[in-house]
Amino acid sequence: MFITLFGVGMFLLITYSNTDSRYILLLIISGAVLWRVYLFTFPASLIGIDPDWFAWQVFRVSNTGTIEPILSHFYGRAPLFIVFSSMFNHVGEVGVSWSLIIYPFILGIGFPIFVYSIISQLWGNRNHALMGASLIAVEPTSIAWGIYPIAQSLATFFFVASILSVMSLYDHNKSRYYLVFITFVLAMTLTHKLPILYLVLFFGFILILIMTYSVLSYFDIRLESERVVQGTNIIRTIQLAIFTSVILIVQFGIITVFLASILPIGTSKPPAISPVVETKWVVNPISEYSSIYHWFWKLEYHLIFFPAAALGGALTLLGHTSDRIDMRTTCVLAAAGITTFLFSVSFALPELLPGGNSRWEFFAAPFAVVLIIGLYRGVTSKTKKSILIFILLIMVISQVFSGIAIKEGPGTQRYYLTEPEVSAKAFSNTYVQQPVSTDSYLAKERIPSQIDYQTSNQYRNYNSNLFNRNIDADSFKYLLYRSDQEIYRGEHSSWRLRYNPQPEIEANKRIFKVYTNRNTILYH
């Protein structure tokens, strides 16, 4: 609720105040950073399992001073995220888990500045630029991947920065902009596999747009003077497309050998894991929504966010083709077009583009925000107030009761550990020398002390027994059980138990309670 009130307050300040834009932008950035830092720090553990793995690698690199110990072929060859985090770990002299706190700062500062700069370059309007900065400050995926830091978090930062550098490059064609662009491309190459692919598609989309403008110029006398300029831009775009394509081939085929891992060349893939099916003891909680609260929480805010961006894109494109053709607008339209298209594919065909909608949405969010502001800019003054209210509604829906950014809500598991759960794992790590069975998330989620001291993970996945109501003294040595956990993580989805295991466990005369900390209990 805080971030919603903050966003609405910023909009009112921008609309009705004459305060210097620099102070308002500073206020927006401060709010964006503080909220992300708060969400990062309030759980007793890191949020999610992937950041745990990255923190584990940060420890190994920090301790050895080399990238050799990284337990991943891809990130062993593209280690910038891990190396950058290791550098902050040394400079900041903080725990390994805390070294990832740099990413709430990077995204909380970077994204509002990027959106502000893009809108300022496009339309030169102070209010529009500040509105865009406010909207990206509260956009859920930019919050989520700041508090759930993975390599894509840093790579997306580089990607948006590279688009901004391309806009300047087309405008000024000076060597320093080429140097900045090449720097970001190399940084992305050593960080993540998706951004370079996005850039190749981005330049392809620019070529399509430029050629479309060239065709239109033959039918519109106002655009006749642009033909020579567009010819120059086509050559420049082809050069950039070739450069990024070569970099993509080098990254996929030589640096990381990622291409070999996704092509069936002399390798056999492991058999697919059979997914858990609904039984009389478990149910998929998605089918159980009944209350208004559940339905409101599950409301997909991007069903409003992206149609609004599409309308803004249409208005921007129409205004663009009826006036002088400038490459800054073309860049934004191309970036928004390709990122939104891939998000739409992931939304409609998740089996084709796996990884979750929010990973793909994250790339599109800054450019979608720019186009939403374009919608506000493009309408007549009579409807501006209605569009402004619509934008505020997007901000409210994207945050109130929304678990997109905090990884928790009805029908889903909790993606972080509480203080009692961390204490229970710390107790088990210290005093239990045998394997400890527990649910899959608690088994995989490493607590900060495990990461800082590289304690071995002695926990075993007990989901199958929980899901099939097969709990007896012979099925475990020790059992760490969370009595307040309603939703459990499965291989492919979340599941809710249709029974309460605790009375059955404690009724068994061969099972004893060793440790209890509120709702986290260790049995033997």
Side-chain angles (χ1 to χ4, degrees), residues 109-172:
I109 295 171
F111 270 33
I113 290 177
F114 289 155
V115 170
Y116 180 89
S117 299
I118 291 171
I119 295 175
S120 295
Q121 285 193 38
L122 289 183
W123 302 308
N125 185 291
R126 168 253 194 200
N127 282 8
H128 295 163
L130 290 173
M131 284 180 181
S134 297
L135 195 52
I136 196 63
V138 302
E139 195 279 325
T141 60
S142 71
I143 296 175
W145 298 105
I147 65 175
Y148 185 97
I150 58 174
Q152 186 184 333
S153 305
L154 184 60
T156 306
F157 174 88
F158 290 144
F159 173 70
V160 180
S162 71
I163 300 299
L164 196 55
S165 70
V166 170
M167 291 169 64
S168 300
L169 187 153
Y170 276 116
D171 250 10
H172 305 290

Side-chain angles (χ1 to χ4, degrees), residues 23 70 75 87 95 140 168 182 203 226 232 265 365 399 410 425:
Y23 298 131
I70 295 176
Y75 289 113
M87 292 169 60
S168 300
I182 291 171
F203 287 119
E226 297 294 324
T232 303
I265 305 174
Q399 293 298 328
K425 287 200 77 170

Side-chain angles (χ1 to χ4, degrees), residues 346-409:
S346 76
F347 185 74
L349 301 169
E351 68 280 357
L352 187 61
L353 292 178
N357 294 334
S358 64
R359 285 179 182 261
W360 302 92
E361 186 177 348
F362 183 34
F363 281 106
F367 308 107
V369 164
V370 172
L371 295 184
I372 289 173
I373 301 304
L375 174 64
Y376 176 76
R377 172 185 176 273
V379 298
T380 62
S381 57
K382 292 181 180 179
T383 56
K384 279 190 182 293
K385 185 175 290 186
S386 299
I387 297 297
L388 181 59
I389 293 172
F390 181 72
I391 294 173
L392 292 175
L393 180 64
I394 293 173
M395 297 174 70
V396 172
I397 290 176
S398 69
Q399 293 298 328
V400 179
F401 302 124
S402 173
I404 297 172
I406 60 173
K407 303 289 183 182
E408 181 179 7

Side-chain angles (χ1 to χ4, degrees), residues 211-225 227 321-322 325:
M211 290 176 181
T212 302
Y213 301 152
S214 298
V215 171
L216 290 174
S217 70
Y218 285 95
F219 301 96
D220 191 336
I221 194 170
R222 292 174 300 174
L223 301 177
E224 188 173 359
S225 62
R227 292 178 193 172
T321 55
S322 63
I325 298 171

Side-chain angles (χ1 to χ4, degrees), residues 42 48 53 84 109 119 135 152 161 184 213 225 236 241-242 248 309 323 376 394 452 454 485 501 509:
F42 93 85
W53 183 87
F84 184 72
I109 295 171
I119 295 175
L135 195 52
Q152 186 184 333
F184 283 128
Y213 301 152
S225 62
R236 191 176 301 153
I242 292 173
L248 180 67
D323 202 347
Y376 176 76
I394 293 173
D452 288 340
Q454 295 284 282
Q485 189 68 14
K509 302 297 184 183

Side-chain angles (χ1 to χ4, degrees), residues 74 181-193 195-197 199-200 203 239-257:
F74 182 88
F181 172 70
I182 291 171
T183 300
F184 283 128
V185 168
L186 294 178
M188 286 184 280
T189 304
L190 298 174
T191 305
H192 197 263
K193 62 184 76 72
I196 303 298
L197 175 61
L199 274 181
V200 173
F203 287 119
Q239 292 171 339
L240 292 170
I242 292 173
F243 169 70
T244 51
S245 297
V246 170
I247 293 294
L248 180 67
I249 293 170
V250 170
Q251 184 199 40
F252 275 27
I254 300 174
I255 295 178
T256 65
V257 203

Side-chain angles (χ1 to χ4, degrees), residues 296-318:
F296 189 76
W297 186 88
K298 279 301 289 180
L299 179 63
E300 302 285 2
Y301 91 99
H302 45 240
L303 295 179
I304 297 176
F305 190 79
F306 282 98
L311 288 174
L315 284 174
T316 302
L317 182 60
L318 289 173

